[in-house]
Amino acid sequence: MRNIVNINKEWKFTKEKETTVVDLPHTWNGIDGQDGGNDYYRGVCTYEKTLKKSDMPEGEEVYLQLDGVNSTGEVFFNGKKLVTHHGGYSTFRVKLDDIQEENTLTVTADNSPNDFVYPQMADFTFYGGIYRDVTLIGVGKKHFDLDYHGAPGIMVTPEIKGADAEVEMQAFGDGDVEFTITDGDTVVATATASGKNPKTSVTINNVHLWNGTKDPFLYTLTAKLIVDGEAVDEISTRFGCRSFKIDANKGFILNGQEYPLRGVSRHQDRPEIGNALLPEHHKEDIELICEMGANTIRLAHYQHNQVFYDLCDEKGLVVWAEIPYISRHLENGVENTKSQMTELICQNYNHPCIVVWGLSNEISMAGSDQKLVDNHNMLNDLVHSLDKTRPTVVAVVTACPPDDPYVHIPDVVSYNHYFGWYGGNVEMYGPWFDNFHKKYPNTPIGISEYGCEALDWHTSEPAQGDYTEEYQAYYHEELIKQIADRPYLWATHVWNMFDFAADARAEGGENGMNHKGLVTFDRKYKKDAFYAYQAWLSDKPMIHICGKRYVDRVEKVTKVTVYSNQDEVELFANGESLGKQKKGKYPFFYFEVPNENSETKLVARAGDLTDESLIKKVETFNENYIMKDEGAVINWFEIDTPTGYFSINDTIGDIMSCFGGKMFLVKFLMFLKKNLSSDGDKEKKEQPKEKKKGKGIEVMGFTFTLGSLKSMAPMLEMVKGFTVKRAFMMMGGKFTKEQILEVNAMLNKVKKPKK
């Protein structure tokens, strides 16, 4: 029988000739990948461990299993190279040959930039390291397949037929196999099969369904490989029996009932440890997501840890699983999309939580062409050949027109929209999706990303781009209203459940981070928007007063928002009732609160539920609530704004609306190219000739080349709602105050069109 030994402890880690001893999981970018500057170490590091034969698991053969090495891993055993694996988020294995009394195991991890392993261009940090478990598996000569794409060696496919389920079972190996399905200690069904990768079916009468968060029931399938009447290997997997379909008008349907999917996306990283998570971190994440009331998670933008998929199975959370085919099509990366998709499906096929396989994310960011379309057709066919039970999906960037051919390759589609943050306004969501639904009535449509950033900044007059907790709360209130009124949206996923690291970012007063999370990076603080979703989605009675971090207020009457899923809310100020409000269509309650005392204690009450907060009257606005920009800080009074002419305070969309503005844009691009190129002159002298690359504009980790206006089109469309000042800020501090004011002077010569 197989024996498994974890070997996470005491590895010699070498980075740039410096060696330390570390335990796995481990990343070398836990600090420099989170502090901004887009300068975190990307290269090759080495992990080495001495293994005595006596420490090896018993077995005639021993396999090494690595659950995550980012991005390319190479394995050497006693100096001999055994395998190279391209793809930093999936499991791979290799058999260890010629085992000696004492052996040296060496694993290199390489997260260097290249043009053939995804991801290469994305708004998150690509942490290097061996950041998941490493184990040794001892087996006999006869064993279930350990070489099949890192898969578990067993596959189960339930099909609901009335009150029963027909369950197809397949084991990967060669010989006689005994299958047993159990419900706890109770045997539900048994069967046998023989041959190469044997397959058989059984029926579960009166099947207990896996029914989402209501009842996520799981069975266990065990397979035993029998040789001469003895079991020589045994593997098992949990599975759930459910039916689902995605309807263009009714949305997601689970077990015959409409089941709107409303939830979040999740990045996995944490402060200082990056993506090197322990099981307790995954458990904390899942508990927070369930506390909010979500019933679905988009696991972006890569394969996540098996621990997390298992937790989603147990909690009944419906999952969108995807590969990191993201932002830009790489001609040399086609095979990598194929191998990563194959591993994603083969390793995760048995999870009932997964309902769609994601082909790509915002892949047309740098433009769409026939090669991109061809790759999607290939991936779509591959998925359907590997899994006939689940549909395919893509997450499409706003700038991509709905009639782009690649949008209609998968079975269902969702869009990443940031109206009200990266351009436009929050009222645009509903009409946009209504227009798509009207034009393509047979195509299921959803929202794969939407959100805005919030830190500990505050205001009573929230506005787009201010990074305040109040604007984020307002934004999500408005989105909840529009989503709730459109049941045809098959799934909606907030971007993001947690703040996460994106080392290229310089936004919101804290570099290196994306702050769109409903919960802070350290999981310690739930922003007000978290409670807006809890009030909308959770069945557990709740009440929450917003603005607890916004204590000092200057106005004599201030607005206070309360979220609750109860029918009636009453708010008290220093013990005096400000009235009761009945819940309307949405679970948001707005009160006008007198703010004339030095301190006002607020108490919100809904039945037996209460929540408290405090506000204080101040004469001068608290400067600690105002975002502090690093780098080129420009005060409002330094910006010339002559009447009738543009300035950097105007949006790119407004500037582009007239001929003079379009001419300015050409000059602006030339200005950017000149200044970015001058920064690169020194680099060109220092770098070997073959390493010279064209310069570009980097925004949120995405680099856009300046070779043509066409290549800039997707970015320009995305940022039309930005002021020029904000666009500069999002370029990561590459420009001085004087350079930005030079652009302002250029704009001061462009007349605004008459209204």
Side-chain angles (χ1 to χ4, degrees):
M1 304 294 281
R2 69 177 54 190
N3 299 285
I4 301 174
V5 174
N6 182 290
I7 56 170
N8 284 350
K9 297 294 185 181
E10 297 184 348
W11 289 71
K12 290 182 181 178
F13 169 68
T14 303
K15 173 188 170 188
E16 296 184 311
K17 299 182 180 180
E18 182 178 337
T19 299
T20 57
V21 176
V22 302
D23 292 338
L24 307 181
H26 174 263
T27 177
W28 60 76
N29 297 127
I31 303 297
D32 67 354
Q34 302 178 353
D35 61 1
N38 198 29
D39 55 356
Y40 64 104
Y41 182 80
R42 295 186 65 183
V44 181
C45 293
T46 301
Y47 296 82
E48 186 177 289
K49 187 176 181 67
T50 299
L51 292 171
K52 294 181 180 179
K53 190 172 186 179
S54 58
D55 296 331
M56 296 277 194
E58 291 185 13
E60 296 171 286
E61 294 182 353
V62 176
Y63 278 78
L64 173 72
Q65 175 171 310
L66 301 108
D67 291 341
V69 181
N70 203 27
S71 320
T72 292
E74 291 189 332
V75 176
F76 299 82
F77 191 63
N78 293 329
K80 178 183 178 182
K81 182 177 175 179
L82 300 185
V83 68
T84 299
H85 180 262
H86 298 303
Y89 304 97
S90 53
T91 294
F92 65 102
R93 304 188 188 103
V94 64
K95 187 168 73 170
L96 303 181
D97 291 321
D98 300 322
I99 298 173
Q100 307 298 313
E101 289 301 319
E102 188 167 283
N103 307 273
T104 301
L105 174 63
T106 304
V107 180
T108 64
D110 182 3
N111 67 339
S112 302
N114 60 65
D115 66 352
F116 61 93
V117 180
Y118 285 97
Q120 291 298 324
M121 172 182 171
D123 186 25
F124 59 95
T125 296
F126 309 146
Y127 298 96
I130 304 179
Y131 68 98
R132 291 179 184 159
D133 286 347
V134 179
T135 50
L136 295 173
I137 306 171
V139 289
K141 286 288 185 183
K142 283 276 193 177
H143 58 265
F144 289 112
D145 198 339
L146 287 164
D147 296 304
Y148 183 69
H149 305 297
I154 188 172
M155 191 165 74
V156 54
T157 310
E159 182 181 357
I160 305 302
K161 295 186 174 181
D164 306 329
E166 183 176 307
V167 182
E168 182 182 275
M169 306 168 293
Q170 183 172 16
F172 292 85
D174 192 357
D176 300 328
V177 177
E178 293 181 353
F179 294 100
T180 304
I181 295 175
T182 55
D183 169 3
D185 294 329
T186 303
V187 175
V188 174
T190 61
T192 59
S194 299
K196 181 70 173 176
N197 300 334
K199 182 189 299 185
T200 188
S201 296
V202 297
T203 298
I204 300 177
N205 296 315
N206 297 313
V207 65
H208 192 157
L209 296 176
W210 186 89
N211 202 27
T213 57
K214 301 172 186 175
D215 185 13
F217 183 82
L218 296 170
Y219 291 96
T220 299
L221 170 63
T222 301
K224 293 181 179 180
L225 184 63
I226 307 300
V227 176
D228 297 329
E230 296 290 333
V232 297
D233 197 10
E234 179 179 318
I235 52 178
S236 64
T237 185
R238 295 185 303 176
F239 70 97
C241 298
R242 81 284 188 270
S243 67
F244 71 88
K245 67 177 182 178
I246 301 174
D247 186 272
N249 294 302
K250 296 180 180 180
F252 190 79
I253 297 171
L254 178 65
N255 297 326
Q257 302 294 317
E258 292 181 23
Y259 191 76
L261 296 181
R262 304 293 178 250
V264 296
S265 295
R266 183 232 189 191
H267 264 302
Q268 62 184 354
D269 59 333
R270 294 212 174 201
E272 298 186 1
I273 62 172
N275 55 4
L277 304 185
L278 298 173
E280 53 262 37
H281 298 130
H282 296 292
K283 291 176 182 176
E284 183 180 28
D285 280 7
I286 210 85
E287 292 297 337
L288 284 165
I289 292 168
C290 290
E291 179 185 342
M292 196 191 80
N295 65 2
T296 181
I297 309 178
R298 179 180 173 217
L299 291 179
H301 289 297
Y302 38 76
Q303 184 169 329
H304 286 232
N305 196 308
Q306 285 298 316
V307 171
F308 202 79
Y309 292 109
D310 288 341
L311 289 168
C312 290
D313 287 341
E314 294 170 8
K315 297 293 186 179
L317 292 163
V318 172
V319 166
W320 167 332
E322 66 188 31
I323 61 171
Y325 182 28
I326 181 171
S327 302
R328 179 176 56 195
H329 175 72
L330 304 175
E331 290 188 27
N332 293 332
V334 172
E335 283 304 310
N336 191 244
T337 64
K338 183 177 180 180
S339 64
Q340 290 207 49
M341 182 63 76
T342 300
E343 290 176 334
L344 175 71
I345 294 174
C346 291
Q347 292 174 22
N348 295 283
Y349 183 91
N350 297 330
H351 290 290
C353 62
I354 298 174
V355 299
V356 288
W357 302 114
L359 303 182
S360 65
N361 175 74
E362 296 188 346
I363 198 62
S364 63
M365 179 74 75
S368 177
D369 58 22
Q370 188 59 46
K371 292 179 180 178
L372 182 152
V373 171
D374 291 344
N375 202 40
H376 279 75
N377 277 315
M378 179 274 291
L379 285 175
N380 198 56
D381 292 342
L382 173 65
V383 171
H384 289 145
S385 70
L386 293 170
D387 184 354
K388 300 185 182 345
T389 70
R390 294 178 176 97
T392 53
V393 65
V394 291
V396 187
V397 69
T398 290
C400 182
D403 60 355
D404 190 293
Y406 104 89
V407 174
H408 300 278
I409 291 171
D411 303 304
V412 299
V413 66
S414 286
Y415 258 80
N416 297 353
H417 282 321
Y418 290 94
F419 304 134
W421 190 247
Y422 296 141
N425 57 66
V426 291
E427 290 81 16
M428 294 173 64
Y429 285 88
W432 192 97
F433 283 99
D434 288 343
N435 289 335
F436 185 101
H437 186 51
K438 182 178 180 180
K439 187 173 182 179
Y440 302 104
N442 298 317
T443 301
I445 181 69
I447 313 179
S448 36
E449 291 183 22
Y450 66 98
C452 68
E453 302 200 34
L455 293 89
D456 193 5
W457 312 129
H458 303 283
T459 180
S460 293
E461 297 179 358
Q464 181 179 155
D466 65 11
Y467 295 87
T468 64
E469 190 173 359
E470 285 70 36
Y471 183 77
Q472 188 192 48
Y474 159 77
Y475 171 100
H476 283 289
E477 288 171 26
E478 295 303 309
L479 264 294
I480 287 171
K481 294 173 185 177
Q482 293 175 72
I483 292 170
D485 290 345
R486 290 170 174 82
Y488 66 78
L489 293 170
W490 78 270
T492 59
H493 296 96
V494 175
W495 190 260
N496 196 283
M497 182 63 187
F498 307 105
D499 291 345
F500 59 92
D503 197 53
R505 278 184 171 254
E507 286 191 70
E510 183 185 3
N511 293 343
M513 299 297 301
N514 187 311
H515 299 99
K516 293 187 183 70
L518 302 177
V519 178
T520 53
F521 192 36
D522 61 6
R523 277 63 170 174
K524 300 299 184 185
Y525 182 78
K526 303 162 191 169
K527 304 175 192 179
D528 285 336
F530 171 95
Y531 295 98
Y533 284 95
Q534 189 181 54
W536 181 40
L537 299 174
S538 178
D539 293 330
K540 184 178 179 180
M542 61 79 62
I543 190 168
H544 172 77
I545 301 176
C546 295
K548 289 188 174 69
R549 296 194 292 186
Y550 181 28
V551 177
D552 298 337
R553 308 196 185 196
V554 297
E555 59 270 21
K556 292 182 179 179
V557 177
T558 190
K559 177 183 174 182
V560 172
T561 300
V562 179
Y563 299 144
S564 179
N565 53 13
Q566 301 303 288
D567 292 332
E568 184 178 79
V569 168
E570 185 174 12
L571 186 66
F572 297 85
N574 288 335
E576 182 179 343
S577 176
L578 300 180
K580 297 179 179 179
Q581 291 186 20
K582 295 285 187 182
K583 186 173 76 171
K585 191 174 182 181
Y586 312 105
F588 314 133
F589 302 80
Y590 307 108
F591 293 88
E592 295 294 321
V593 177
N595 183 36
E596 297 178 341
N597 298 318
S598 59
E599 290 188 2
T600 301
K601 180 181 178 181
L602 300 175
V603 178
R605 188 182 303 278
D608 295 332
L609 300 175
T610 61
D611 191 30
E612 298 181 3
S613 69
L614 181 73
I615 59 173
K616 296 180 180 180
K617 178 69 170 71
V618 296
E619 297 305 317
T620 304
F621 191 82
N622 188 338
E623 294 291 323
N624 292 326
Y625 295 157
I626 301 174
M627 178 177 62
K628 312 299 190 299
D629 289 332
E630 294 185 8
V633 178
I634 301 178
N635 295 306
W636 65 270
F637 52 80
E638 297 178 280
I639 303 169
D640 289 333
T641 57
T643 302
Y645 292 83
F646 287 110
S647 74
I648 60 173
N649 290 336
D650 289 295
T651 67
I652 293 171
D654 286 344
I655 293 168
M656 291 174 63
S657 67
C658 65
F659 177 77
K662 291 184 175 71
M663 293 303 296
F664 158 78
L665 181 63
V666 175
K667 295 178 182 178
F668 182 50
L669 293 175
M670 293 174 65
F671 168 87
L672 294 175
K673 184 174 183 179
K674 173 186 174 183
N675 285 281
L676 288 171
S677 296
S678 64
D679 289 341
D681 287 343
K682 294 179 181 179
E683 296 176 14
K684 290 178 182 179
K685 293 177 183 178
E686 296 171 359
Q687 291 182 352
K689 193 170 184 179
E690 65 273 17
K691 289 188 178 180
K692 292 180 183 177
K693 294 183 180 179
K695 299 298 290 183
I697 298 176
E698 190 170 273
V699 179
M700 302 177 297
F702 303 119
T703 301
F704 299 90
T705 62
L706 293 166
S708 68
L709 286 175
K710 181 179 178 182
S711 68
M712 293 290 292
M715 184 187 74
L716 292 173
E717 186 66 30
M718 183 178 72
V719 300
K720 277 185 177 180
F722 289 179
T723 64
V724 176
K725 180 185 176 184
R726 187 175 175 215
F728 271 118
M729 182 178 70
M730 297 189 72
M731 290 180 197
K734 293 187 183 304
F735 297 90
T736 65
K737 177 192 296 186
E738 289 72 25
Q739 288 174 320
I740 297 172
L741 290 176
E742 180 184 341
V743 172
N744 189 66
M746 293 164 57
L747 277 168
N748 290 166
K749 297 176 182 178
V750 181
K751 277 189 175 183
K752 291 184 177 182
K754 293 181 179 180
K755 293 184 180 179

